Amino acid sequence: MSLQNLSCAVLRSAAQHIHADSVNELECLAIEHEADLMLSDIECSRGMGESFMDMLLSGAPAELMGELHLYLGQQLLRRVFDRTDLGPHYDQLARAARAFVDASAAATLDRRVCDDREAA
């Protein structure tokens, strides 16, 4: 197809569209780069985590909180139970999570023993 057969308005529209896509792509790349830098910095990452939790706790839909709970259970608590090292910044979190897992399992066993005794 030859560009000679297209009107100036069509060419201008196409150029504007291409320019807009380029601007959007550059903006997306800049945002992605900035997010990567922010998440690479320990203090900034901690602050972002705090802000994210505040946002969730201040009115996230139940479905979203359910996903967060599932993630914590399957990722954090499972990793701690399997004694997977979480890294140097998470010693207290790992200890607290492991204590929680152990206490939860002990309480469940106690309830089962009581239920079995009552059933017998």
Side-chain angles (χ1 to χ4, degrees):
M1 179 175 171
S2 171
L3 293 179
Q4 294 174 351
N5 297 333
L6 296 175
S7 71
C8 288
V10 170
L11 288 175
R12 186 174 341 114
S13 177
Q16 289 171 341
H17 180 69
I18 291 169
H19 175 70
D21 283 349
S22 295
V23 169
N24 288 339
E25 185 176 340
L26 288 174
E27 182 179 16
C28 287
L29 289 172
I31 290 169
E32 189 172 310
H33 177 71
E34 187 65 24
D36 185 43
L37 290 174
M38 292 167 70
L39 292 169
S40 296
D41 178 84
I42 296 297
E43 289 305 314
C44 187
S45 188
R46 181 179 289 124
M48 288 178 69
E50 181 179 351
S51 295
F52 183 65
M53 289 301 297
D54 289 346
M55 181 195 74
L56 291 175
L57 295 174
S58 69
E63 298 83 20
L64 178 55
M65 292 306 293
E67 285 184 20
L68 176 63
H69 298 154
L70 178 61
Y71 179 82
L72 289 173
Q74 288 187 333
Q75 297 300 318
L76 174 64
L77 298 179
R78 183 72 214 191
R79 288 180 69 192
V80 167
F81 174 75
D82 292 340
R83 301 200 187 280
T84 302
D85 184 24
L86 300 179
H89 302 287
Y90 308 107
D91 292 338
Q92 292 181 52
L93 178 62
R95 282 193 299 278
R98 182 62 198 217
F100 174 81
V101 168
D102 291 346
S104 295
T108 299
L109 283 175
D110 287 347
R111 279 193 303 274
R112 285 187 186 160
V113 168
C114 288
D115 291 347
D116 289 347
R117 285 184 188 154
E118 290 175 5

